[in-house]
């Protein structure tokens, strides 16, 4: 389940998938969060508490690590992959809390991540279809040529990090509250992850 979810240190295949497969195939394979479903259906009912805590800790490390990596990526596909891994790991963190607030937040975040990051990926794919692979090292000036895609890029990107009035806001709010109620330090890590993801999205947008 951790391998399928791309949890550190078993995440390297995900970056290769996004780099070397077609972008549409990679999005369809990753965004349903099949690994989270496996954890919820097969692991949660039978795993001991230490097992759930271990998965939650690995997922939290993955979330912070992937959000930091998203800040420094030179290419759009790798940026999207690390953004996805960070958000998907936050869903796993909420699932492993096994509290009503944490589970509710994780399920809401699951829906929002699936919808918002699929939209974000489709927007990136549409840009790639017009200009090819997008380097994040240079300013391209694409807003003047495709203002509608730029708007969708910003909207779906903000939704993925739980910006107010977007689909991800409720899920992220519940997730933070659920994690803080159990482990205050882990709650700070979740907030840090969301901040890094937000900075990364705005850097790429500008």
């Amino acid at each position: 389940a951790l391998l399928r979810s791309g949890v550190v240190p078993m995440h390297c295949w995900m970056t290769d998938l996004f780099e070397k497969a077609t972008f549409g195939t990679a999005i369809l394979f990753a965004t349903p969060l099949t690994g989270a479903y496996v954890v919820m259906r097969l692991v949660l009912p039978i795993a001991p508490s230490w097992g759930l805590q271990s998965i939650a800790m690995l997922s939290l490390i993955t979330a912070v690590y992937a959000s930091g990596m998203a800040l420094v990526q030179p290419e759009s596909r790798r940026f999207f992959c690390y953004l996805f891994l960070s958000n998907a790991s936050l869903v796993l963190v909420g699932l492993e809390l096994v509290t009503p607030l944490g589970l509710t937040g994780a399920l809401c975040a699951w829906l929002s991540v699936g919808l918002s990051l699929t939209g974000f990926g489709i927007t990136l794919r549409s840009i790639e279809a017009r200009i090819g692979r997008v380097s994040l090292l240079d300013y391209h000036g694409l807003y003047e040529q495709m203002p509608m895609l730029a708007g969708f890029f910003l909207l779906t990107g903000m939704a993925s990090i739980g910006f107010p009035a977007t689909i991800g806001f409720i899920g992220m709010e519940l997730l933070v509250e659920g994690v803080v109620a159990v482990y205050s330090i882990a709650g700070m890590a979740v907030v840090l992850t969301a901040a890094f993801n937000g900075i990364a999205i705005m850097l790429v947008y500008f």
Side-chain angles (χ1 to χ4, degrees):
L2 294 178
L3 179 65
R4 181 63 180 83
S5 301
V7 172
V8 169
M10 298 169 282
H11 68 291
C12 295
W13 69 273
M14 289 284 278
T15 53
D16 286 344
L17 173 71
F18 276 91
E19 273 193 314
K20 297 176 181 178
T22 61
F23 203 10
T25 301
I27 291 169
L28 283 172
F29 185 79
T31 52
L33 299 183
T34 310
Y37 180 77
V38 170
V39 168
M40 189 175 67
R41 293 290 294 175
L42 301 179
V43 178
L44 280 181
I46 61 169
S49 59
W50 63 265
L52 296 178
Q53 290 172 358
S54 301
I55 294 173
M57 187 58 63
L58 284 172
S59 301
L60 191 61
I61 291 169
T62 303
V64 176
Y65 165 76
S67 64
M69 289 295 288
L71 281 170
V72 297
Q73 291 309 305
E75 200 264 332
S76 61
R77 287 196 183 192
R78 290 181 67 88
F79 161 75
F80 179 84
C81 177
Y82 280 112
L83 183 68
F84 169 77
L85 287 176
S86 178
N87 283 282
S89 297
L90 289 180
V91 173
L92 282 179
V93 170
L95 288 176
E96 304 314 322
L97 293 177
V98 200
T99 63
L101 198 58
L103 286 171
T104 305
L107 293 174
C108 290
W110 189 343
L111 292 173
S112 70
V113 165
L115 288 172
S116 60
L117 285 181
T118 300
F120 193 68
I122 290 171
T123 305
L124 275 177
R125 179 67 188 91
S126 300
I127 295 170
E128 276 193 3
R130 288 160 173 77
I131 66 168
R133 296 266 181 124
V134 182
S135 169
L136 303 181
L137 299 176
D138 305 310
Y139 177 73
H140 298 283
L142 298 177
Y143 184 88
E144 297 295 329
Q145 304 169 39
M146 354 177 172
M148 188 72 74
L149 279 179
F152 276 121
F153 183 96
L154 189 60
L155 179 65
T156 54
M158 287 290 146
S160 71
I161 60 163
F163 193 76
T166 64
I167 191 171
F169 177 66
I170 296 172
M172 187 58 71
E173 186 72 18
L174 288 171
L175 194 59
V176 170
E177 284 190 32
V179 174
V180 167
V182 179
Y183 308 109
S184 57
I185 296 177
M188 294 173 61
V190 171
V191 172
L192 185 67
T193 299
F196 281 170
N197 286 337
I199 293 169
I201 286 170
M202 293 311 297
L203 283 174
V204 172
Y205 175 74
F206 285 124

